[in-house]
Amino acid sequence: MHAEHPYPNPFEILRFVLRSLDLKQSKKRLDELVAQRAYDPRELDQAIQLYVSAPVEKYMGQPTAAIASKNLTRFLKSYMHGTVGKISVDGVSRDTVLSILSTATFKDQVIELMQELRARLGGPHLNIWFSSQASTVSTILDWIKDSFTGWNSYFSDLSKEQKDMLSSWSRGAELPSAQSILLLGNAGSPSMTDELDWQKIKTWLFAARAIDFVKKSAAGLQLLDDARLALWGANDHVSVASEIQHHQRMTLEKLGADYQLIARLQHELKRTIKKQEPNLYRGIIDQARAQILASLEYWIDWHDARWHVFSGQLEEALALYKRAFSGSLFRSGENQKAIIDESLVVAAKLRNPDRVFLKHLKWTLINFGYDIPSISGDRPSQKVSDTIEDWEIERWDASFGIVFPIEGLFPGIQYDTHQSALGPLVFTDTSAIKPDYRNPNRKLKIGETWQRAMPQLVWFSLNEDAAVCEKLIEKGARVDVASETGDTPILMALEALNVTEINEVDLVRGRSPYRTLDDRLFNLLKNIPHKTKTLNDRTQKKRLLPIISAVESGRLDVVQTVLEMGADPNRRGKTDEQTALNVCLKLIGTIKDPELAKKHQMSMPITPEALDAIRRQSHGLSGFTVEHQEHTLKRNTENGLFGEALRLLIEARNRNILQHMTIAQLREIAKLLLGAGADPNAEHASPIKGYTPLMLAAELDERELFDAMLVAGGDIQKKYREPKTGRAVSIAEIARDFNAAEILQSLEDISSYVTIQ
């Protein structure tokens, strides 16, 4: 059995926060999550909403709830990505880790939250909050008495029982309960009660209660002492990494000669080096397992798993990887990432891939900031398909030889890789595939390098053979069918009309790289009823979505038809999760200033989302992790060819857009989408994280669309955060920064009706 995990998981931190506020009550699911180490990342978002945002709003008001949930979300992300995901605490006890976290991390978050609450709500100076002697609730009650002129009258109007309760709080005899704080505003006469700002009073009483709760433990007293000293500028910054390393050095000294076993395994069982007789390493592993600390058991399991991979024993290796994975979580820092990467390719290489384990691995990659979600959605789910797409499992399988190269295996061991879906799907003679009219719904296996299954109607739609498609449909072929990756006949028909798509290979070879823009297949399919699901499903890797492909045709009639067929204008597609309205605004920007659009595309920031987009379109040739994509991109950029190829691609795309689209038509498409319910406030990752279509319309000085979006519910108070500084930027500032005179005039025209930030 693995030793206790030193780092608390985020649900444990969340539960402690709720207990300090007396908001825990009975939350069985939260208690279950505290005990878990591999969990759906959407569970945390949901828990913050259910257990923090909703009750805090009930007890303290919406502004406090927004500040609390935002700060908690930000802190837990920083904690998971920057601390748990990076810093190993091997050999360090849980009590020591908690003490270091309290001094180096937790106190800063408490101070930051209190500072933001005070800036938003006013309140007493922060120095009074962190005294280890006096009751904080008593101090706050005194402040309330001095700050609110109506408090004495309110207090005198209370019943004896209510006065005794407040006196008990003031003496520090008992902590206020959440319910008693909530009901304060209902006590006393209505005239007295109405004079008091209960949102502020309740917020500060809850904060005081939480601090007095924290004081009950020695670790809590230390946290408050550190916070007080930090406010006075009297203590130095403490590095979690340096403090942990100090304790680890002492642990290594205790290991003594046993450390040589670790060093030998670490060197001789590397994945990439040539190895000797397997039994030699078997003996070292068994000796290490018998002698080394329980906290390093996961490390022995990890290298034992490697030994079985090198020996050709994948099933046995997987069992050990599962143990190593479980033992490493919330303990081993970046070793967690290495164990997960190896586990992914082993679990995917099996004849029947272990999908449940793969799901847990993917969850953990996201939780520790090693990767980003593959599938959008905010509802937790145990279904593998709600976390992992099939192409990912193929990619992990295909990458087995990258992680475990043949030269690193024991002599005579090799693995079959001929079915690996690595590289583009190649088919040289499409004419050799004939339609089967007697079996119109037959599935084909397509490909020479590797194979992809798809209904023949999808195949002939992909090849734009409208005549064959028409006959297959006459013979009974269903239109609501899809390939393994989600390609449907209607999507293929729309992609044939896509003005923005460029075939890179044809561009390099001097052939026309553009789509045919032949609408015969679309005209055939649009008259056949389709399921709504078919119109709103997207493909896996590239996230092609019918409504976005329709917008990228630049044709109003096509967009209108697709909406009438049942497309949802707010579904998201493309590798960076865009809405159709956002795509439409970007196309307007390209036509207005092609050179500026090219400049933006050439200098696109390297975000995890951008790297994931490369991964989805590289056919596995650039590896399977986000880090692989970053290294490949850096290498390609340094050789100079990548930038030139990208420039040619962007210029070819922009030429086609300018030739086949007009701003007037795109404006009509945007208004059509708004009329169908498109959300002008939907946040996007591009062009800047947090940007909305309304902000993009302001930047482009598109007053006609800007005003239409306001009518459709556009929020002019919404802001995005500037990536480098974190400063909140308003729509008015966007308009000023881009000299958007028409938008500034629009804001001026409505200023008498609404306050504009």
Side-chain angles (χ1 to χ4, degrees):
M1 187 71 179
H2 287 291
E4 184 183 34
H5 297 79
Y7 282 120
N9 84 351
F11 299 100
E12 188 174 353
I13 296 172
L14 179 58
R15 186 175 65 179
F16 181 83
V17 170
L18 294 173
R19 283 176 173 168
S20 74
L21 295 166
D22 192 38
L23 298 180
K24 168 68 172 64
Q25 300 164 12
S26 177
K27 294 181 173 62
K28 181 181 177 183
R29 180 56 183 157
L30 183 58
D31 290 335
E32 292 172 347
L33 288 165
V34 166
Q36 294 184 16
R37 293 298 178 262
Y39 55 85
D40 188 330
R42 293 164 290 203
E43 288 272 18
L44 184 56
D45 296 331
Q46 187 177 79
I48 291 173
Q49 175 59 38
L50 288 176
Y51 306 139
V52 178
S53 296
V56 170
E57 182 169 350
K58 171 186 173 182
Y59 286 93
M60 294 172 248
Q62 195 280 328
T64 301
I67 292 170
S69 59
K70 180 191 71 176
N71 276 268
L72 188 58
T73 299
R74 187 168 58 201
F75 162 62
L76 291 177
K77 179 179 179 180
S78 172
Y79 167 70
M80 291 292 289
H81 294 189
T83 302
V84 182
K86 292 188 181 301
I87 303 172
S88 167
V89 290
D90 285 339
V92 183
S93 72
R94 181 179 175 86
D95 287 344
T96 300
V97 170
L98 288 175
S99 176
I100 292 170
L101 289 174
S102 177
T103 300
T105 302
F106 295 162
K107 77 164 193 309
D108 295 329
Q109 300 307 315
V110 172
I111 292 172
E112 186 176 334
L113 173 61
M114 297 298 287
Q115 286 174 331
E116 187 164 354
L117 283 172
R118 185 168 185 265
R120 175 68 177 80
L121 301 176
H125 193 278
L126 295 188
N127 284 335
I128 76 168
W129 287 94
F130 302 121
S131 169
S132 59
Q133 306 300 321
S135 158
T136 309
V137 172
S138 175
T139 302
I140 292 305
L141 284 172
D142 288 342
W143 175 81
I144 292 170
K145 178 181 177 181
D146 294 339
S147 302
F148 294 91
T149 55
W151 180 260
N152 288 333
S153 298
Y154 162 80
F155 184 82
S156 64
D157 198 45
L158 295 177
S159 68
K160 181 180 183 305
E161 182 182 7
Q162 292 163 336
K163 289 178 180 177
D164 288 345
M165 178 185 71
L166 287 171
S167 297
S168 176
W169 295 357
S170 188
R171 295 194 310 273
E174 64 174 321
L175 289 177
S177 69
Q179 190 66 13
S180 62
I181 296 175
L182 176 66
L183 295 176
L184 280 179
N186 297 335
S189 66
S191 61
M192 299 296 180
T193 299
D194 291 344
E195 292 180 9
L196 299 170
D197 189 336
W198 285 109
Q199 179 179 299
K200 290 183 181 180
I201 290 172
K202 290 177 182 178
T203 295
W204 290 128
L205 280 173
F206 268 106
R209 189 229 186 259
I211 288 175
D212 283 345
F213 178 89
V214 169
K215 287 179 183 177
K216 290 183 175 183
S217 69
L221 282 172
Q222 183 63 52
L223 184 151
L224 296 177
D225 284 342
D226 290 334
R228 184 175 64 257
L229 291 171
L231 284 172
W232 292 346
N235 66 348
D236 297 326
H237 174 71
V238 176
S239 163
V240 175
S242 62
E243 288 294 306
I244 293 295
Q245 287 166 8
H246 169 71
H247 288 275
Q248 286 174 329
R249 283 193 291 271
M250 293 189 291
T251 300
L252 287 177
E253 290 174 6
K254 293 178 184 178
L255 282 175
D258 290 343
Y259 180 69
Q260 298 303 316
L261 293 172
I262 294 177
R264 189 170 178 190
L265 282 178
Q266 189 168 24
H267 174 70
E268 297 188 28
L269 282 182
K270 285 184 177 178
R271 295 175 288 104
T272 55
I273 66 172
K274 190 174 180 180
K275 297 171 182 66
Q276 302 176 40
E277 170 61 33
N279 288 336
L280 170 66
Y281 307 106
R282 182 74 263 159
I284 301 172
I285 291 171
D286 292 342
Q287 184 183 358
R289 192 178 290 283
Q291 294 179 220
I292 290 177
L293 296 175
S295 63
L296 292 175
E297 184 180 358
Y298 85 88
W299 199 90
I300 305 300
D301 289 335
W302 177 19
H303 287 75
D304 201 349
R306 281 185 177 180
W307 184 91
H308 283 84
V309 173
F310 302 150
S311 302
Q313 301 168 10
L314 287 189
E315 294 282 357
E316 296 84 347
L318 184 64
L320 285 159
Y321 271 118
K322 287 182 178 180
R323 283 169 49 92
F325 169 69
S326 176
S328 70
L329 295 185
F330 291 88
R331 176 190 305 281
S332 64
E334 292 184 334
N335 274 347
Q336 296 165 131
K337 174 66 164 56
I339 291 170
I340 291 171
D341 286 350
E342 292 176 32
S343 299
L344 285 170
V345 300
V346 170
K349 175 54 69 180
L350 298 176
R351 183 178 297 275
N352 294 308
D354 190 329
R355 291 173 177 264
V356 173
F357 185 41
L358 289 170
K359 175 186 69 177
H360 291 163
L361 294 170
K362 180 71 176 184
W363 283 350
T364 307
L365 285 171
I366 298 166
N367 287 332
F368 291 148
Y370 303 140
D371 208 331
I372 64 174
S374 305
I375 297 173
S376 57
D378 54 8
R379 295 177 64 86
S381 172
Q382 292 298 315
K383 291 175 61 178
V384 174
S385 59
D386 287 337
T387 295
I388 295 172
E389 295 178 322
D390 289 342
W391 70 270
E392 292 182 276
I393 299 178
E394 291 179 352
R395 190 68 68 247
W396 296 327
D397 175 13
S399 300
F400 182 88
I402 297 173
V403 178
F404 294 103
I406 191 169
E407 58 268 22
L409 306 179
F410 291 138
I413 301 299
Q414 61 181 19
Y415 290 95
D416 181 17
T417 59
H418 76 278
Q419 287 296 326
S420 297
L422 195 63
L425 181 63
V426 174
F427 31 83
T428 54
D429 186 7
T430 58
S431 63
I433 302 173
K434 305 296 183 184
D436 183 352
Y437 295 118
R438 287 186 295 181
N439 300 289
N441 289 302
R442 176 186 168 194
K443 284 194 174 182
L444 306 173
K445 288 281 190 178
I446 304 297
E448 296 167 18
T449 48
W450 47 278
Q451 292 194 319
R452 172 78 68 212
M454 65 180 69
Q456 59 176 336
L457 184 60
V458 173
W459 168 255
F460 289 106
S461 297
L462 173 64
N463 286 280
E464 297 185 48
D465 198 328
V468 169
C469 290
E470 184 174 14
K471 191 168 182 180
L472 283 170
I473 292 170
E474 288 174 358
K475 296 294 183 180
R478 296 187 297 272
V479 295
D480 292 306
V481 293
S483 71
E484 290 178 354
T485 56
D487 299 311
T488 61
I490 189 64
L491 178 62
M492 296 300 95
L494 288 165
E495 279 295 290
L497 306 178
N498 194 328
V499 174
T500 71
E501 280 298 308
I502 303 295
N503 186 311
E504 296 95 328
V505 175
D506 286 341
L507 182 64
V508 171
R509 293 180 177 176
R511 301 193 295 253
S512 174
Y514 305 120
R515 298 288 168 85
T516 64
L517 309 187
D518 186 339
D519 62 6
R520 285 178 297 171
L521 183 58
F522 176 72
N523 290 333
L524 167 68
L525 293 171
K526 73 179 184 182
N527 295 314
I528 302 171
H530 283 67
K531 293 179 181 177
T532 302
K533 183 177 183 297
T534 304
L535 271 298
N536 291 302
D537 275 353
R538 63 187 191 182
T539 63
Q540 289 189 7
K541 281 197 296 184
K542 294 186 179 181
R543 293 174 177 159
L544 302 178
L545 182 68
I547 187 59
I548 289 180
S549 297
V551 168
E552 291 178 328
S553 74
R555 288 176 50 174
L556 180 65
D557 63 314
V558 172
V559 177
Q560 183 166 358
T561 298
V562 172
L563 287 170
E564 290 170 352
M565 291 174 74
D568 178 354
N570 288 311
R571 285 281 291 163
R572 292 186 181 243
K574 303 185 81 68
T575 53
D576 56 354
E577 298 279 17
Q578 293 193 65
T579 61
L581 183 59
N582 207 60
V583 170
C584 189
L585 267 292
K586 284 186 172 182
L587 289 170
I588 289 174
T590 296
I591 296 176
K592 277 193 159 184
D593 194 338
E595 285 302 312
L596 181 61
K598 181 175 75 172
K599 179 181 177 182
H600 286 165
Q601 288 172 294
M602 292 288 292
S603 59
M604 185 172 61
I606 306 305
T607 62
E609 290 79 10
L611 295 171
D612 182 52
I614 296 172
R615 174 171 56 188
R616 288 171 176 272
Q617 302 191 56
S618 65
H619 309 292
L621 297 176
S622 58
F624 68 97
T625 69
V626 170
E627 289 87 349
H628 289 154
Q629 317 314 310
E630 190 168 15
H631 294 155
T632 300
L633 181 60
K634 182 180 179 181
R635 186 172 63 249
N636 290 340
T637 302
E638 287 174 349
N639 70 23
L641 296 177
F642 177 78
E644 179 61 16
L646 180 61
R647 182 187 65 79
L648 291 173
L649 192 64
I650 292 170
E651 289 178 349
R653 176 182 182 273
N654 290 354
R655 280 196 301 272
N656 214 38
I657 290 171
L658 292 170
Q659 181 179 350
H660 294 285
M661 293 184 181
T662 67
I663 291 179
Q665 187 87 327
L666 289 169
R667 284 174 181 151
E668 292 304 311
I669 289 173
K671 286 187 284 186
L672 183 64
L673 291 168
L674 288 167
D679 182 5
N681 304 313
E683 294 185 15
H684 291 76
S686 66
I688 301 173
K689 190 174 181 64
Y691 234 55
T692 66
L694 185 67
M695 293 175 186
L696 198 46
E699 176 183 319
L700 296 172
D701 205 14
E702 281 290 315
R703 175 164 185 174
E704 182 181 355
L705 294 182
F706 185 82
D707 290 347
M709 289 184 197
L710 294 182
V711 172
D715 183 0
I716 58 172
Q717 310 295 5
K718 201 172 180 71
K719 299 179 180 181
Y720 79 91
R721 290 199 171 273
E722 206 280 326
K724 292 183 179 178
T725 65
R727 184 178 67 88
V729 182
S730 69
I731 285 179
E733 289 176 285
I734 293 171
R736 285 195 295 270
D737 290 344
F738 285 90
N739 297 315
E742 292 292 322
I743 301 302
L744 291 171
Q745 184 59 55
S746 177
L747 294 174
E748 175 67 23
D749 292 345
I750 64 174
S751 61
S752 58
Y753 306 101
V754 62
T755 301
I756 300 168
Q757 297 181 359

